[in-house]
Structures are given as structure tokens and as C-alpha cells.
Amino acid sequence: NYFEKICAEPLIEINTEKGKIKIELLPNDAPFTSISIAKLIDKKYFDGLCFHRVVSNFVIQGGDPEGTGMGGPGYNIRTETSPLKFGTGFVGMASAGRDTEGSQFFITHSPQPHLDGKYTIFGKVVDGMDTVNKIQEGDKIISIKRIK
């Protein structure tokens, strides 16, 4: 099934204008989020979108088809909090409140303890933090794909 496939092959690669970011999905900590993100990746949903929000020493945020911070895939998924902590390079779901997550995600530049337990953590950067740190507002996501 789809969940087992993600568990067996949890890596995704974000190809940006500034370089590549390799992320390990965390399906055991955020199963529904991991499945939703993987399905959007398989549909090439993120290809061509931009990082619409960049806050220095905090986060880069993308995944909004409108590029405004207000868009999403047309559905919401539930918040999946866990004991994980937002350290450097953790990937979380942007949210407008509990159970309002969709397609917008963020990657932390540095530890963000005020986010712990409030936002879904569904991945962590395993390669490419240098690229994360180069991203500027408006930079494009060329593609996101699942890799082995």
C-alpha cells in the first residue's frame, strides 16, 4: 500500500533555482501528512510554485499555488503533532489553525521551540541546508520528486 511504500522509500528531492534539497519524510510521525504530500508530489502539484515566504533565521515556506500564503490543494488534512522538536532543517506544515493543513510547508533555518507541538513535523533535511539558506522570497520550486 501507499503508506508502506513511503516508509520503504521516504526520500524526496526539491529541485530549486538555488540548488537541491533532500528531505526524509517521517511517515511514522505524520502518516496522513506524508501520504498527502507524496500524492501531491506524484501529481507534480508543487512543480513551478515559489517560496512565497522567507523569514531570515526562521523559515522558508512554499507549496501555495496562488503564491500568496492563502492557497492550497482544495482540501484540508488534520494536524499531526508529535514529540519531535523543530530543530534546524525540519519540515512542517503551515496552518491557519488546527486541522487546516493543505499543501503549504516550511523548512526551519534554526531551532524553533515555539512551534513544537503546534505544527505537524513531517520531514527533515538530510542534504542541502546550504540551499535552504540561499532561498529568497519568490525563488521557484522547479520540481519535487520522490527518490530512492
Side-chain angles (χ1 to χ4, degrees):
N1 76 25
Y2 211 77
F3 179 74
E4 289 168 357
K5 194 173 176 184
I6 296 165
C7 289
E9 296 177 355
L11 295 179
I12 64 172
E13 185 177 77
I14 304 175
N15 187 12
T16 77
E17 293 180 301
K18 300 281 174 73
K20 294 182 177 179
I21 305 164
K22 192 179 291 183
I23 292 168
E24 179 183 350
L25 297 177
L26 303 170
N28 291 315
D29 295 291
F32 296 107
T33 303
S34 296
I35 289 168
S36 179
I37 290 292
K39 286 185 174 182
L40 290 171
I41 290 168
D42 290 347
K43 292 178 187 168
K44 302 191 181 315
Y45 177 89
F46 298 100
D47 297 6
L49 301 184
C50 73
F51 289 98
H52 63 275
R53 179 173 180 240
V54 175
V55 181
S56 183
N57 201 34
F58 180 44
V59 297
I60 63 171
Q61 186 170 321
D64 176 4
E66 296 175 17
T68 62
M70 303 304 284
Y75 62 85
N76 291 336
I77 58 174
R78 72 182 200 201
T79 306
E80 295 181 288
T81 55
S82 72
L84 293 174
K85 306 281 188 222
F86 277 99
T88 300
F90 275 74
V91 188
M93 289 301 288
S95 167
R98 188 153 187 82
D99 301 330
T100 62
E101 291 79 0
S103 59
Q104 291 187 46
F105 65 92
F106 60 87
I107 304 173
T108 55
H109 284 129
S110 59
Q112 300 299 329
H114 67 285
L115 302 178
D116 295 346
K118 296 183 181 93
Y119 293 85
T120 301
I121 295 174
F122 71 94
K124 63 182 177 184
V125 174
V126 293
D127 190 34
M129 264 318 286
D130 57 328
T131 300
V132 172
N133 292 328
K134 288 181 206 164
I135 297 290
Q136 299 292 311
E137 196 168 304
D139 284 348
K140 292 255 185 282
I141 297 169
I142 296 165
S143 65
I144 303 182
K145 63 184 178 184
R146 294 171 53 206
I147 58 173
K148 293 184 180 191

